[in-house]
Each structure stands twice: as structure tokens, then as C-alpha cells.
């Protein structure tokens, strides 16, 4: 594991963090800002999305018990609330001020029922609760002992529950770790925040060239805000990890990896021109476990700031591939984070009606971007009306794209399987007899 080492440990890391986040609850996002269109966060924080990745079952969020550990200023909590309608939310943070800001934010957005605690996540068992979904965003890598954190959370995770967390990447963030080390040598970590941040600005402004500043990822616009300097160049306890570190930590905590949350964006094929690699390389990669394939990717091109993952009690899920019969007898629906999203619905409907290509940012897809060509939009638009029988989509594809039935079936099944692997659509293979079947517009 690569990590930034600690200077003279005058205060414990937990105490330094508590003081930092008392002063500057993170992130610095206006209370009034809405999380409704934060698709990236909604995807990462949706229990239904995580459970579908885990078991291919469509598990509704209604009635689920969700923990947000290390809630910060409540931006993550707000998105959790938006992404999981009807769930009961519990949050905790070391910093009382962060919890206060979270409470204000949630009340403002109509989520006043959330239960809030000023509590170290290591003590979460005290609440006597067991959770269906636990999220800790930008927290795990700050703990002195991340494995102890994982173990504490595992103890309060239901047998079918999912834990979602992330770690800073050792290579992608290497420059920031170097700068932290340099600023620690200069004693900046021990100064009051405004003074320390001012010194970082002076330091950067005094450097010999813009190239040097760019190499140190300095952007004066972003770092006008002290919160951002403290979250990067002066972040106490910050550490970097690689995929093998994650796997070792999960093993020590007796947790299993479901998959990376943005796993499609870690596909080694993305590293090659038109996704084509020499046959020997493909054959060797095929022999590797999914985690080792992810590790190969990060060794070649470490472009992810975070290793964002879903974990479970080991071996608790078994995913069998769908058969053609499952598809042909089933109904497909949009990922629920999309179904009530006004902006998405408008854009999707427009592409459908005007026979245009549809594109949006989607963390489940390669490069975090999903593009659906016009011919496929011609039969996918019906998803806006609700779960749609696959057979109805095949009929529509045959009609609008003038295809023979077999060709239409081939096109629909292949394309839907791709969208399903991006967790953009979900298959319900066994519709309840007599339940509403939606007409196709
Ligand atoms: C970088 S902020 C992330 C906030 C929020 N999760 C987000 O992503 O927007 C880290 C937060 O974790 C909290 N934290 C750190 N260690 C903690 C611990 N052991 N128990 C509870 N909260 C902790 C800090 O107080 C801080 O609010």
C-alpha cells in the first residue's frame, strides 16, 4: 500500500480530522443546491443499482435502512435520500458542525426524518441497528486503520446488505501525496487553516513556471476556496491505495468484492485503439480474475481518483447469466434513478420522438458516457412508459427499422444486454401474471 507518512503525531488523525471538518464541513456546496440531477452520485448511492449489480434482482429502496457514515456537510446524504425513495436514513460524523449542516440541508430539501448522530463510525454498533446499505464516500482512506473501519461496518451490515466505499488511488493522486509530504515538512499542517492555505497560495504563485504549477495540479480558480486546499494539499490522514490493497483489506475484514462501482470504465480493452489488442494479450487477460484485470488497468493508465467499490458478506450472492428465454419472457425497465428524473425524461423523449442519437453522462458505462444511436432509440423510447415486455420491443424494432423478426430479436437482445451490463436498464425475468403491460406509443 502506498501512503503518505505522518509527521510528528501531535494530535491523532481522528482529532485533526474532527477539527478540520468542524471548521470546514465538506463539501462546500450551497444548502439550496438540489441533488436531483446529480446522476453520478445518484448512480453510486442507489441501493437498487448496487443490489442489481450484486444479484440481478430489482430490489426497491422503500423500507430499507441506510447508513451514511462520515456524512460531511450532507451533500452525499441528500443524494442518498434522492436516490433511495422511501428508505430510512441514519447518518453519523465525527464533527458536530458537519452533522448540523447536514440536518439543515436535509430539512431544506424536505427530508426531515433522517436520524443524525455525532459519532465515530468505529462505534456504530452502539446504535443497535443493522443496515441494508452503507455508504462512506471519501472517508475510508482517512481512517488510521481502514480495515478496523470495514470490520466495524461489516458488523452492522445485514446478511444481504451492501457496503459502498472508496479509496484514493495511490498513482492517480501521487502528486498530491508528494505535496502533502512537502507541506508537512514546512509545518503547514500545524497552522490555522486560513494561514496554511495562504501559504500554499503564496508557494504556488512563487513557482518558476506555469508548467510547474500545472504539474502540481494547481488551479487558482479551484483553490480560491480554502475547503479545496484542505481537501487536497493539506488533508490530514490522506492515503493512497491500489486494487491489491483493496482486496487484501476486504479479505482481512472478511468482506467480498461485488465489483467496482464504475467497473465498465476499468475494462483493459479501453486501453487499446478501437478496443482491439493482440490475441496473446487478450488470452492472458482472460486468465486473470476481475480484480487482477482492474489492477492491470491501473498499472497501465491510473486515471481514476477513486477506487469506488461495492462489498458484501463474502459469497452471499450468486449471479447466473440470463438466458435468451429469460429475456424473451421478461420485461425491461430503466434504472429507477432515471424514471422520475425530469431532465432525463425530456432528453430521452426528445431523442425518441425526433429519431435522434441520445447521449448522457452515465458512470456505469465506459468512459462514464452512454450514447444510444437513433435506430436503437426508435424502440427504447417506450421505456419511458414503464417496464416494457422485451417481446414488444422486438416487434417495435422490426416495425420501425424494417427488420426481419430474427434480426430484430438479435438486435434488441444484444443491445439490451449491453445497456443492462451498464446498469442503465434492468431485467425482470418473471413478470407477475396479469400485472399491467404498457402499450407502446
Ligand atoms: C472528505 S469528508 C466526506 C464527506 C461526505 N462523505 C462526502 O463525500 O461528501 C470526510 C468526512 O468524514 C468524517 N469522518 C472522518 N473520520 C470519521 C470517523 N472515524 N467516523 C465518522 N466520521 C468520520 C469527517 O468528519 C468528514 O466529515
Amino acid at each position: 500500500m502506498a501512503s503518505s507518512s505522518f509527521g510528528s503525531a501531535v494530535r491523532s488523525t481522528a482529532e485533526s480530522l474532527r477539527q478540520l471538518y468542524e471548521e470546514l464541513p465538506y463539501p462546500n456546496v450551497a444548502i439550496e443546491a438540489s441533488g436531483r440531477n446529480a446522476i453520478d452520485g445518484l448512480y453510486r448511492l442507489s441501493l437498487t443499482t448496487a443490489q442489481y449489480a450484486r444479484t440481478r434482482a430489482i430490489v426497491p429502496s422503500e423500507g430499507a435502512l441506510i447508513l451514511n457514515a462520515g456524512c460531511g456537510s450532507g451533500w452525499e446524504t441528500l443524494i442518498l435520500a434522492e436516490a433511495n425513495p422511501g428508505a430510512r436514513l441514519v447518518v453519523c460524523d465525527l464533527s458536530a458542525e458537519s452533522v448540523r449542516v447536514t440536518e439543515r440541508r436535509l430539512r431544506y430539501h424536505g427530508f426531515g426524518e433522517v436520524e443524525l448522530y455525532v459519532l465515530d463510525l468505529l462505534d456504530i454498533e452502539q446504535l443497535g441497528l443493522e443496515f441494508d446499505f452503507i455508504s462512506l464516500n471519501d472517508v475510508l482512506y482517512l481512517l488510521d486503520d481502514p480495515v478496523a473501519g470495514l470490520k466495524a461496518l461489516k458488523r452492522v451490515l445485514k446478511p444481504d446488505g451492501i457496503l459502498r466505499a472508496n479509496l484514493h488511488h495511490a498513482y492517480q493522486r501521487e502528486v498530491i501525496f508528494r505535496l502533502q509530504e512537502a507541506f508537512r515538512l514546512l509545518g503547514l499542517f500545524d497552522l490555522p487553516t486560513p494561514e496554511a492555505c495562504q501559504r500554499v497560495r503564496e508557494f504556488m504563485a512563487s513557482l518558476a513556471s506555469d508548467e510547474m504549477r500545472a504539474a502540481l495540479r494547481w488551479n487558482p480558480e479551484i483553490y480560491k476556496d480554502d475547503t479545496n486546499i484542505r481537501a487536497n494539499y493539506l488533508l490530514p490522514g490522506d492515503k493512497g491505495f491500489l486494487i491489491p490493497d483493496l482486496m487484501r483489506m476486504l479479505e482481512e475484514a472478511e468482506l467480498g468484492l461485488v465489483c467496482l462501482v464504475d467497473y465498465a470504465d476499468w475494462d483493459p480493452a479501453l486501453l487499446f485503439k478501437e478496443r482491439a489488442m493482440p490475441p496473446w494479450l487478450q488470452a492472458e487477460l482472460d486468465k486473470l480474475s476481475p480484480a487482477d484485470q482492474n489492477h492491470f488497468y491501473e498499472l497501465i493508465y491510473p486515471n481514476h481518483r477513486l477506487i469506488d467499490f461495492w462489498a458484501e458478506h463474502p459469497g452471499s450472492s450468486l449471479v447466473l447469466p440470463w438466458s435468451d428465454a429469460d429475456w424473451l419472457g421478461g420485461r425491461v425497465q430503466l434504472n429507477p434513478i432515471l424514471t422520475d428524473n425530469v431532465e432525463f425524461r425530456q432528453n430521452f423523449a426528445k431523442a425518441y420522438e425526433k429519431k435522434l442519437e441520445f447521449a448522457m453522462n452515465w458512470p456505469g458505462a465506459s468512459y462514464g458516457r452512454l450514447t444510444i444511436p437513433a435506430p436503437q432509440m426508435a424502440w427504447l423510447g417506450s421505456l419511458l412508459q414503464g417496464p416494457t415486455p422485451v417481446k414488444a420491443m422486438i416487434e417495435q424494432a422490426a416495425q420501425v427499422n424494417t427488420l426481419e423478426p430474427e434480426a430484430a430479436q438479435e438486435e434488441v437482445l444484444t443491445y439490451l444486454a449491453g445497456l443492462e451490463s451498464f446498469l442503465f436498464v434492468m431485467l425482470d425475468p418473471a413478470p407477475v401474471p396479469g400485472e399491467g403491460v404498457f402499450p407502446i406509443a
Side-chain angles (χ1 to χ4, degrees):
M1 179 197 312
S3 67
S4 55
S5 61
F6 300 90
S8 57
V10 183
R11 290 168 291 187
S12 73
T13 308
E15 182 49 23
S16 302
L17 288 170
R18 197 194 59 74
Q19 286 189 14
L20 163 59
Y21 292 114
E22 279 298 284
E23 251 180 77
L24 299 170
Y26 182 91
N28 184 13
V29 175
I31 293 284
E32 311 77 46
S34 164
R36 292 223 172 119
N37 287 325
I39 292 289
D40 188 85
L42 293 167
Y43 169 94
R44 291 171 198 274
L45 295 172
S46 144
L47 169 150
T48 306
T49 306
Q51 281 292 0
Y52 195 82
R54 176 173 169 264
T55 61
R56 291 296 188 258
I58 303 174
V59 178
S61 56
E62 280 77 12
L65 184 54
I66 295 184
L67 171 68
N68 185 198
C71 59
S73 64
W75 177 241
E76 180 190 5
T77 325
L78 175 64
I79 298 175
L80 264 170
E82 297 282 6
N84 298 287
R88 176 182 160 201
L89 266 177
V90 175
V91 313
C92 76
D93 200 287
L94 280 178
S95 145
E97 181 56 17
S98 297
V99 171
R100 272 192 289 274
V101 178
T102 297
E103 186 172 24
R104 233 180 292 141
R105 186 186 302 282
L106 294 173
R107 208 172 307 120
Y108 181 90
H109 292 277
F111 297 108
E113 305 288 288
V114 175
E115 296 156 54
L116 304 113
Y117 298 92
V118 179
L119 185 67
D120 191 319
L121 66 86
L122 295 172
D123 299 325
I124 200 71
E125 238 180 325
Q126 284 178 10
L127 300 183
L129 296 170
E130 274 206 328
F131 299 92
D132 296 282
F133 188 67
I134 298 176
S135 179
L136 57 161
N137 189 69
D138 278 315
V139 176
L140 191 58
Y141 55 79
L142 296 173
L143 304 183
D144 277 343
D145 182 353
V147 174
L150 288 173
K151 284 182 177 169
L153 295 170
K154 179 198 151 108
R155 285 196 289 275
V156 295
L157 186 67
K158 280 189 188 163
D160 279 341
I162 297 188
L163 182 148
R164 177 258 167 178
N166 46 34
L167 294 165
H168 268 156
H169 198 278
Y171 296 160
Q172 191 276 349
R173 200 170 158 79
E174 195 249 339
V175 173
I176 301 289
F177 294 130
R178 276 188 359 235
L179 268 279
Q180 288 172 0
E181 196 59 35
F183 292 144
R184 193 171 280 110
L185 285 175
L186 300 174
L188 300 200
F189 277 73
D190 300 322
L191 292 178
T193 291
E195 203 177 327
C197 292
Q198 201 40 40
R199 288 193 181 191
V200 170
R201 288 190 191 96
E202 276 175 29
F203 169 89
M204 293 292 184
S206 312
L207 287 173
S209 67
D210 283 344
E211 286 75 16
M212 214 181 259
R213 276 182 282 277
L216 299 182
R217 302 207 191 146
W218 180 251
N219 178 336
E221 270 310 299
I222 292 175
Y223 292 115
K224 266 184 194 159
D225 184 341
D226 283 1
T227 317
N228 292 337
I229 294 188
R230 295 279 353 195
N232 290 296
Y233 298 108
L234 296 177
L235 182 57
D238 194 7
K239 295 175 276 303
F241 300 81
L242 299 174
I243 296 286
D245 298 320
L246 167 65
M247 298 311 288
R248 180 188 46 72
M249 287 161 52
L250 290 178
E251 199 180 333
E252 282 177 32
E254 295 180 39
L255 284 163
L257 179 69
V258 174
C259 62
L260 298 185
V261 171
D262 47 358
Y263 73 97
D265 204 36
W266 290 69
D267 179 355
L270 302 181
L271 301 169
F272 300 93
K273 207 192 295 173
E274 292 169 7
R275 301 189 191 190
M277 57 181 104
W280 66 266
L281 180 54
Q282 183 71 66
E284 292 302 324
L285 285 174
D286 287 347
K287 290 182 204 157
L288 301 181
S289 67
D292 279 346
Q293 293 185 9
N294 295 153
H295 183 43
F296 175 82
Y297 182 101
E298 72 184 354
L299 290 171
I300 306 299
Y301 189 52
N303 63 331
H304 299 100
R305 177 177 74 88
L306 291 165
I307 302 174
D308 202 342
F309 61 92
W310 287 310
E312 61 176 350
H313 291 283
S316 63
S317 62
L318 175 66
V319 182
L320 298 172
W322 298 127
S323 66
D324 277 3
D326 290 327
W327 282 105
L328 291 171
R331 295 191 303 179
V332 164
Q333 66 169 64
L334 288 165
N335 184 312
I337 67 159
L338 298 169
T339 39
D340 294 327
N341 184 290
V342 176
E343 191 176 299
F344 165 78
R345 292 187 72 86
Q346 281 171 353
N347 293 339
F348 204 71
K350 187 171 154 203
Y352 179 45
E353 281 153 22
K354 305 216 156 145
K355 302 186 176 20
L356 299 171
E357 175 184 282
F358 171 79
M360 73 181 290
N361 291 336
W362 182 254
S366 317
Y367 308 113
R369 186 111 183 123
L370 185 75
T371 305
I372 304 178
Q376 278 76 36
M377 274 311 293
W379 50 266
L380 275 165
S382 53
L383 287 172
L384 283 175
Q385 295 165 52
T388 307
V390 174
K391 280 202 172 133
M393 292 174 131
I394 294 172
E395 277 168 30
Q396 199 183 7
Q399 200 187 339
V400 292
N401 292 337
T402 30
L403 295 170
E404 292 299 320
E406 299 79 47
Q409 178 171 316
E410 170 73 17
E411 166 170 319
V412 169
L413 294 196
T414 306
Y415 205 77
L416 283 181
L419 290 180
E420 194 235 10
S421 74
F422 292 160
L423 306 172
F424 184 77
V425 299
M426 299 177 177
L427 173 67
D428 178 358
V432 180
E435 225 180 65
V437 172
F438 295 83
I440 308 242

